[in-house]
Amino acid sequence: MKTVAFNGSARRDGNTALLMDAVLQELEDEGIETEMVNLADHEVRGCTACYKCHETQDGRCVIDDDDINEFLGKMEEAEGILIGSPTYFADVSTETKGLIDRCGFVAKANGGMLSRKVGAGVVAVRRAGSIHAFDTINHFFTISEMVIPGSIYWNMGFGLEKGEVSSD
C-alpha cells in the first residue's frame, strides 16, 4: 500500500510540512509506503478549462509544460492521497488549487480514475480561514469519489512561525 503526499506550501520545511510529516510517520509506522512531493520544487499551472482531457481521455492533461501529469501518475499508482496546504486568504495556496483543479478535471474525464482511493487533507493556519481551505481539499476528494477517513477534529494546526504548529 502506498500514500503520496503533496505539500502545497512555498515553505518546503514549514508548518504544513511538519503537519504532513506527522501524518506520514503514523502511516509508515503501520507499514504503509509514503512519498512526499513538495509543490514548491515544481511548476504547477492552473486549469484553462479547455476540456481537452474530456476529448482525449488518455489520463493526462494536455498542458504538458509543468509537472501535473507526473502527479497524476503518482495519484493513480497510490491507494492514499494526502494534500496539505497553508491557508492563504481563507483558502488553499495557488499551487494546491492548481493541483486540485487539473488533477480533478482529468480524473473525472477518465472514468473517475481516483474513485475509491483514500484522501486526507491537512491545513496549516495562523488564526482563521482554515475550515474553508480544508473544505476545498475535501471537495476535491468527494467530487473524485474518494473515501475520506473520519477524525476527532478538523485536520489543521495553528501557528505562524516555523514549528509553532508542533505546540498546537
Side-chain angles (χ1 to χ4, degrees), residues 65-86:
D65 61 352
D66 66 5
D67 298 314
I68 287 295
N69 287 318
E70 175 189 342
F71 302 155
L72 276 162
K74 290 179 183 297
M75 287 183 180
E76 194 169 24
E77 290 173 6
E79 288 82 17
I81 300 169
L82 177 66
I83 297 177
S85 180

Side-chain angles (χ1 to χ4, degrees), residues 31-136:
I32 298 170
E33 179 186 350
T34 66
E35 177 185 3
M36 174 78 87
V37 175
N38 288 300
L39 297 183
D41 296 335
H42 301 271
E43 185 174 339
V44 177
R45 294 180 47 206
C47 182
T48 62
C50 69
Y51 290 93
K52 294 289 185 192
C53 54
H54 287 267
E55 291 175 27
T56 62
Q57 294 187 340
D58 61 359
R60 299 180 54 79
C61 179
V62 297
I63 300 171
D64 61 1
D65 61 352
D66 66 5
D67 298 314
I68 287 295
N69 287 318
E70 175 189 342
F71 302 155
L72 276 162
K74 290 179 183 297
M75 287 183 180
E76 194 169 24
E77 290 173 6
E79 288 82 17
I81 300 169
L82 177 66
I83 297 177
S85 180
T87 303
Y88 293 169
F89 291 90
D91 211 341
V92 296
S93 69
T94 302
E95 294 78 11
T96 303
K97 187 67 169 125
L99 176 81
I100 287 171
D101 289 350
R102 302 250 315 276
C103 291
F105 257 99
V106 172
K108 291 303 285 180
N110 287 273
M113 57 193 261
L114 302 178
S115 179
R116 308 305 297 160
K117 293 183 183 284
V118 177
V122 175
V123 176
V125 62
R126 176 177 167 238
R127 262 190 245 174
S130 58
I131 295 298
H132 186 75
F134 186 57
D135 195 39
T136 295

Side-chain angles (χ1 to χ4, degrees), residues 1-6 20-21 23-37 73-75 77-82 118:
M1 182 172 219
K2 181 177 181 178
T3 295
V4 62
F6 295 93
M20 294 182 73
D21 285 342
V23 175
L24 294 178
Q25 186 59 58
E26 291 293 322
L27 296 173
E28 290 168 7
D29 289 348
E30 294 297 320
I32 298 170
E33 179 186 350
T34 66
E35 177 185 3
M36 174 78 87
V37 175
K74 290 179 183 297
M75 287 183 180
E77 290 173 6
E79 288 82 17
I81 300 169
L82 177 66
V118 177

